[in-house]
Each structure stands twice: as structure tokens, then as C-alpha cells.
Amino acid sequence: MTQYQTITFDQAGPVARIALNRPDAANGMNDTMTRELADAARRCDTESTKVVLLTASGRFFCAGGDLKSFAAAPSRGRYIKGVADDLHRAISTFARMDAVLITAVNGVAAGAGFSLAVTGDLVLAAASASFTMAYTKAGLSPDGSSSYYLPRLIGIRKTQDLMLTNRMLSADEAAQWGLVTEVVADDQLAQRAEELVGQFASGPRKSNAAVKRLLLTSLQSGIEEQMEAEGRLIAECAESADGHEGVDAFMAKRPPKFA
């Protein structure tokens, strides 16, 4: 296990596990945490990694930026820009890596914690989890890719509502809005997350990576450009070892055994 101060990181075969680990500070993001998160994301961006599970220790998923560290900084703007830059580096790596990112939200996700939570390719939430933007309560503006993801996930009107009013969503409401993939009982969150980890650890890495790449470009591309990308990627998948195995297994009426 790699040693960090504010997160835990463990890689076992095709599975990487990251946990925010400042429970006494509600897992608030300071410069150390976002720097370490960016480094952990870099470690996940390898050909051997198929799935990354991101969760948190303690009662909170993440209460957002660590305002105590913000207030103590000699230059608040410069400090916060550095925190945001490292967080954005982590999120960009998670979005563009081949591995599937599962976020398991175990408690309150506020501010940058909300932003980080919804970047998952699959987002699990404990029934007691809750979600709020909270930025403008502190006189700040959103970061952590929320102004990119939220309009795409829920539309501009609901995004305006969340960002301007700082309304709190329950886990069930977040699922109804389309921010969360699945809500599970608090005591079942870890088990359900591990079930999905196992599914992707034994699944076709290249196919899942292709899904991520296609969806990243789908709202910026014209239909012909997007279909050309689809054609090229499905051809690449068909030529891969997993593509051969998937088709051969289907024809033989047996479960596939992906690399």
C-alpha cells in the first residue's frame, strides 16, 4: 500500500482503491489531499488497471474545500487555485484513463466533494448520503468539473438551482435527478461496491475504455464525426484479445474469460 497523509491507496492486480482519509476534518480538501489525489489518479492510469474504487473514511464523503486551510493561507486566491489545479488534474486523469471509476458516496458530499462524487462512471450512494453544492455560501464559485458535468447530467435549469440555492439533495433525490447510479442501504454500500469492482476486474478493459472515450466526445461531435469514432473503436475492440475472446465465447455458448 502506498503511503499518503490524507488518502489511502492500494493496487491489487487490476483493481485500485482510493479512500479520502481526513475523517477528523470531514475529508475536507486541502493542498495536500488534492496533490495526493492527483498522484493516485496518475498511478491508476496504467494498462494493468481495469477499475478504480473511490470512497472515503468516516461519516463524510467530503465536505468540500478545507476552509480552515483557505483562511490560513497568505494568499487565499493563489492557494485555492493550486488546490483546484491539482483536483482538476486528478479528475481529468480519472475521466481519460481506461479504467472504470466507481465512486461510493458514504455520507455528505458538499462542494468539491459533490463535484468529485459525480465524476464517477458509476456513482453509488448510501441511503443516508446527501449532496449540496454549498460554494456560494462561502462566497466562492464551483470547481471540480461540476460546471461541466452537471449540465450534461441534469440540464442547465437544475444545475442553476443546485449552484445558486445550495439546496440539499437526499441520496434518493440525487438518483431521481440522474446524479447517482444506484442507492443502497448504508450497511450494503461496501458490499455492492465490491460486487461492481469484481465485475469490472474480470471484464473487457478495452471495451469499457471505448465507452468512456465515446461518451466524453458525444456532446461536442457532429453525428458523422461521432459515428466515425464509433466505427474506429469497435474495429479496434474487435481486433483485441478481449474482442476475439468475447465473440468466440458467444459463439461457443460459454462465459468469456477476458485477460
Side-chain angles (χ1 to χ4, degrees):
M1 180 179 291
T2 303
Q3 296 300 313
Y4 291 109
Q5 296 180 47
T6 64
I7 66 173
T8 64
F9 176 84
D10 179 65
Q11 178 96 36
V15 179
R17 293 179 175 84
I18 302 170
L20 308 182
N21 192 36
R22 298 185 71 211
D24 293 340
N27 293 318
M29 292 188 187
N30 60 10
D31 57 345
T32 303
M33 177 179 278
T34 56
R35 183 172 62 250
E36 291 182 345
L37 192 61
D39 186 69
R42 177 187 60 81
R43 291 174 179 269
C44 296
D45 190 13
T46 66
E47 291 187 1
S48 61
T49 306
K50 289 186 174 184
V51 58
V52 178
L53 175 61
L54 173 63
T55 186
S57 61
R59 295 186 302 110
F60 289 79
F61 178 74
C62 175
D66 181 356
L67 298 186
K68 185 176 180 179
S69 71
F70 292 3
S75 173
R76 292 184 185 180
R78 185 178 302 119
Y79 179 86
I80 293 173
K81 180 61 162 59
V83 169
D85 284 349
D86 284 334
L87 174 60
H88 295 166
R89 188 154 51 93
I91 290 171
S92 178
T93 302
F94 287 141
R96 297 189 181 280
M97 69 183 179
D98 287 351
V100 173
L101 175 66
I102 300 169
T103 53
V105 184
N106 56 299
V108 173
F114 185 149
S115 300
L116 179 62
V118 300
T119 64
D121 298 305
L122 295 176
V123 182
L124 301 181
S128 64
S130 57
F131 300 79
T132 182
M133 281 274 95
Y135 288 97
T136 61
K137 281 187 177 180
L140 302 174
S141 57
D143 67 350
S145 75
S146 55
S147 63
Y148 176 88
Y149 276 111
L150 262 61
R152 288 163 169 78
L153 289 168
I154 62 175
I156 192 68
R157 284 289 178 239
K158 287 182 177 179
T159 299
Q160 289 167 322
D161 186 1
L162 286 175
M163 290 184 172
L164 294 172
T165 71
N166 299 305
R167 68 182 291 169
M168 179 80 73
L169 295 181
S170 68
D172 285 335
E173 288 173 325
Q176 292 165 8
W177 280 39
L179 291 165
V180 167
T181 308
E182 184 179 347
V183 178
V184 297
D186 288 18
D187 61 358
Q188 297 297 310
L189 181 66
Q191 178 182 332
R192 178 58 181 145
E194 289 301 328
E195 289 174 357
L196 288 172
V197 165
Q199 175 183 329
F200 288 107
S202 61
R205 176 179 173 274
K206 193 170 185 67
S207 295
N208 293 329
V211 170
K212 293 185 62 163
R213 291 177 194 172
L214 288 169
L215 294 181
L216 270 180
T217 61
S218 63
L219 294 181
Q220 286 80 40
S221 300
I223 185 170
E224 290 80 12
E225 183 181 3
Q226 191 68 12
M227 288 191 297
E228 178 63 17
E230 289 178 346
R232 289 179 179 274
L233 282 171
I234 197 172
E236 289 179 17
C237 288
E239 289 290 347
S240 71
D242 281 346
H244 278 272
E245 169 61 13
V247 172
D248 291 348
F250 179 83
M251 297 302 294
K253 298 181 179 181
R254 59 172 176 78
K257 294 181 180 180
F258 296 115

